[in-house]
PDB file of all heavy atoms in Angstrom:
ATOM      1  N   ALA Q  18      82.794 119.489  78.583  1.00 98.00           N
ATOM      2  CA  ALA Q  18      81.459 120.083  78.724  1.00 98.00           C
ATOM      3  C   ALA Q  18      80.581 119.234  79.638  1.00 98.00           C
ATOM      4  O   ALA Q  18      79.824 119.767  80.462  1.00 98.00           O
ATOM      5  CB  ALA Q  18      80.821 120.227  77.348  1.00 98.00           C
ATOM      6  N   LYS Q  61      78.688 129.964  80.361  1.00 98.00           N
ATOM      7  CA  LYS Q  61      77.905 131.042  80.989  1.00 98.00           C
ATOM      8  C   LYS Q  61      77.855 130.879  82.515  1.00 98.00           C
ATOM      9  O   LYS Q  61      77.945 131.849  83.264  1.00 98.00           O
ATOM     10  CB  LYS Q  61      76.485 131.031  80.409  1.00 98.00           C
ATOM     11  CG  LYS Q  61      75.721 132.303  80.684  1.00 98.00           C
ATOM     12  CD  LYS Q  61      74.465 132.369  79.841  1.00 98.00           C
ATOM     13  CE  LYS Q  61      73.586 133.497  80.375  1.00 98.00           C
ATOM     14  NZ  LYS Q  61      72.191 133.277  80.129  1.00 98.00           N
ATOM     15  N   VAL Q 131     103.571 106.724  80.372  1.00 98.00           N
ATOM     16  CA  VAL Q 131     103.194 108.104  80.725  1.00 98.00           C
ATOM     17  C   VAL Q 131     103.700 108.432  82.141  1.00 98.00           C
ATOM     18  O   VAL Q 131     104.256 109.516  82.382  1.00 98.00           O
ATOM     19  CB  VAL Q 131     101.656 108.305  80.614  1.00 98.00           C
ATOM     20  CG1 VAL Q 131     101.201 109.567  81.342  1.00 98.00           C
ATOM     21  CG2 VAL Q 131     101.237 108.363  79.150  1.00 98.00           C
ATOM     22  N   VAL Q 147      98.643 107.707  87.561  1.00 98.00           N
ATOM     23  CA  VAL Q 147      98.076 107.609  86.209  1.00 98.00           C
ATOM     24  C   VAL Q 147      96.937 106.580  86.240  1.00 98.00           C
ATOM     25  O   VAL Q 147      97.100 105.478  86.769  1.00 98.00           O
ATOM     26  CB  VAL Q 147      99.144 107.185  85.181  1.00 98.00           C
ATOM     27  CG1 VAL Q 147      98.511 106.953  83.809  1.00 98.00           C
ATOM     28  CG2 VAL Q 147     100.242 108.245  85.089  1.00 98.00           C
ATOM     29  N   LYS Q 276     104.464  91.093  69.209  1.00 98.00           N
ATOM     30  CA  LYS Q 276     104.701  90.015  70.185  1.00 98.00           C
ATOM     31  C   LYS Q 276     104.813  88.664  69.502  1.00 98.00           C
ATOM     32  O   LYS Q 276     104.729  87.613  70.145  1.00 98.00           O
ATOM     33  CB  LYS Q 276     103.567  89.986  71.225  1.00 98.00           C
ATOM     34  CG  LYS Q 276     103.579  91.182  72.164  1.00 98.00           C
ATOM     35  CD  LYS Q 276     104.727  91.085  73.137  1.00 98.00           C
ATOM     36  CE  LYS Q 276     104.860  92.319  74.021  1.00 98.00           C
ATOM     37  NZ  LYS Q 276     106.151  92.393  74.708  1.00 98.00           N
ATOM     38  N   PRO Q 280      97.578  87.914  64.167  1.00 98.00           N
ATOM     39  CA  PRO Q 280      96.166  88.256  64.438  1.00 98.00           C
ATOM     40  C   PRO Q 280      95.297  88.054  63.202  1.00 98.00           C
ATOM     41  O   PRO Q 280      94.892  89.020  62.543  1.00 98.00           O
ATOM     42  CB  PRO Q 280      96.249  89.732  64.844  1.00 98.00           C
ATOM     43  CG  PRO Q 280      97.445  90.246  64.101  1.00 98.00           C
ATOM     44  CD  PRO Q 280      98.405  89.108  63.945  1.00 98.00           C
ATOM     45  N   VAL Q 301      78.224  99.775  41.007  1.00 98.00           N
ATOM     46  CA  VAL Q 301      77.707 100.924  40.246  1.00 98.00           C
ATOM     47  C   VAL Q 301      78.086 100.763  38.779  1.00 98.00           C
ATOM     48  O   VAL Q 301      77.274 101.001  37.881  1.00 98.00           O
ATOM     49  CB  VAL Q 301      78.276 102.256  40.806  1.00 98.00           C
ATOM     50  CG1 VAL Q 301      77.767 103.437  39.990  1.00 98.00           C
ATOM     51  CG2 VAL Q 301      77.874 102.435  42.255  1.00 98.00           C
ATOM     52  N   LEU Q 340      86.160 105.872  41.821  1.00 98.00           N
ATOM     53  CA  LEU Q 340      85.295 106.345  40.724  1.00 98.00           C
ATOM     54  C   LEU Q 340      86.103 107.205  39.764  1.00 98.00           C
ATOM     55  O   LEU Q 340      86.015 107.049  38.546  1.00 98.00           O
ATOM     56  CB  LEU Q 340      84.114 107.158  41.293  1.00 98.00           C
ATOM     57  CG  LEU Q 340      83.022 106.375  42.039  1.00 98.00           C
ATOM     58  CD1 LEU Q 340      82.077 107.335  42.771  1.00 98.00           C
ATOM     59  CD2 LEU Q 340      82.205 105.504  41.063  1.00 98.00           C
ATOM     60  N   ASN Q 341      86.896 108.108  40.339  1.00 97.00           N
ATOM     61  CA  ASN Q 341      87.752 108.964  39.510  1.00 97.00           C
ATOM     62  C   ASN Q 341      88.683 108.120  38.649  1.00 97.00           C
ATOM     63  O   ASN Q 341      88.834 108.357  37.452  1.00 97.00           O
ATOM     64  CB  ASN Q 341      88.601 109.898  40.380  1.00 97.00           C
ATOM     65  CG  ASN Q 341      87.834 111.125  40.851  1.00 97.00           C
ATOM     66  OD1 ASN Q 341      88.028 111.606  41.950  1.00 97.00           O
ATOM     67  ND2 ASN Q 341      86.955 111.643  40.014  1.00 97.00           N
TER      68      ASN Q 341
END
Side-chain angles (χ1 to χ4, degrees):
K61 196 167 168 208
V131 164
V147 174
K276 291 288 175 195
V301 178
L340 288 169
N341 279 145

